Amino acid sequence: MKSLANPSILKPVQDDDFIQVIIETPAQSRNKFAFDPKQSIFALKKVLPAGMVFPYDFGFLPQTLAPDGDPIDVLLLMDEPAFPGVAVKARLIGVIEGEQVDGKKKIRNDRLVAVAEANHMYAGIRKLSDLPGKWLKELQVFFVNYHNLEGKQYRLLGCKGSKQAMRLIKQAKKAA
């Protein structure tokens, strides 16, 4: 029986300028999808409450392992929502650093921010500071509220540029 190719075995970095993001959850979706490596499929993980949606495509970098035990997360800016399982070539622009508190345990849960190579709306965005400050604040509030829904606290630690984001990728590749 044939099945889908396992996207978690793909390369996370295509060259010095681009990363390869595997989409799990499309923009504007209430459904949170996640890749299930045991079954080699994308499965529904949860549904956000009415009125709350993922503001942008959300995915991961293959062959990485973040401190939260999952591949490193990526928020992807692009013109239209993608589909779960799609690989998107993207330019890394920074990272939203944060930690989730589960009971007494603090776990780093950073979100890389990238721009799809094939797009129009975000073509001029090269770094996080190219985006409006209000936009970045609203995005940070989304992650705080998203974690609150799971009964977890999420504490924002700040936003950093692409150099720090690339350091996190290198650490996550070594950990995988």
Side-chain angles (χ1 to χ4, degrees):
M1 173 185 274
K2 288 192 172 201
S3 64
L4 293 174
N6 182 343
S8 66
I9 63 173
L10 299 173
K11 291 183 179 182
V13 179
Q14 291 191 323
D15 56 42
D16 290 338
D17 295 323
F18 295 99
I19 59 175
Q20 182 166 236
V21 180
I22 306 302
I23 301 300
E24 286 184 301
T25 301
Q28 304 306 311
S29 176
R30 285 180 57 201
N31 293 333
K32 168 69 168 112
F33 300 101
F35 181 70
D36 179 345
K38 291 178 184 165
Q39 298 185 81
S40 291
I41 62 168
F42 287 83
L44 180 64
K45 188 173 179 183
K46 68 178 114 182
V47 178
L48 298 180
M52 187 173 189
V53 297
F54 281 86
Y56 296 93
D57 289 275
F58 199 72
F60 67 90
L61 284 186
Q63 293 192 35
T64 62
L65 186 63
D68 67 353
D70 294 328
I72 196 161
D73 294 324
V74 182
L75 184 76
L76 185 65
L77 307 179
M78 56 192 291
D79 296 331
E80 295 292 327
F83 296 93
V86 170
V88 179
K89 188 175 181 179
R91 183 177 58 256
L92 191 61
I93 63 168
V95 59
I96 298 171
E97 296 180 320
E99 67 183 7
Q100 62 190 43
V101 181
D102 194 3
K104 294 185 181 206
K105 190 175 179 182
K106 291 182 182 178
I107 303 167
R108 281 298 290 261
N109 195 348
D110 302 321
R111 275 42 187 256
L112 302 179
V113 182
V115 174
E117 179 190 29
N119 84 82
H120 301 281
M121 193 179 326
Y122 300 101
I125 304 298
R126 299 282 180 234
K127 53 191 184 294
L128 280 179
S129 61
D130 290 340
L131 296 163
K134 183 176 185 209
W135 177 93
L136 198 52
K137 179 68 176 160
E138 288 174 358
L139 191 57
Q140 293 172 357
V141 168
F142 168 80
F143 287 118
V144 169
N145 291 331
Y146 175 77
H147 283 276
N148 283 341
L149 292 172
E150 296 180 322
K152 298 175 185 172
Q153 280 186 309
Y154 187 74
R155 190 169 70 108
L156 297 164
L157 301 175
C159 295
K160 301 272 174 53
S162 59
K163 286 182 183 177
Q164 175 61 18
M166 192 52 81
R167 278 191 215 95
L168 292 172
I169 291 171
K170 288 177 182 174
Q171 291 171 359
K173 282 173 62 178
K174 285 180 185 174

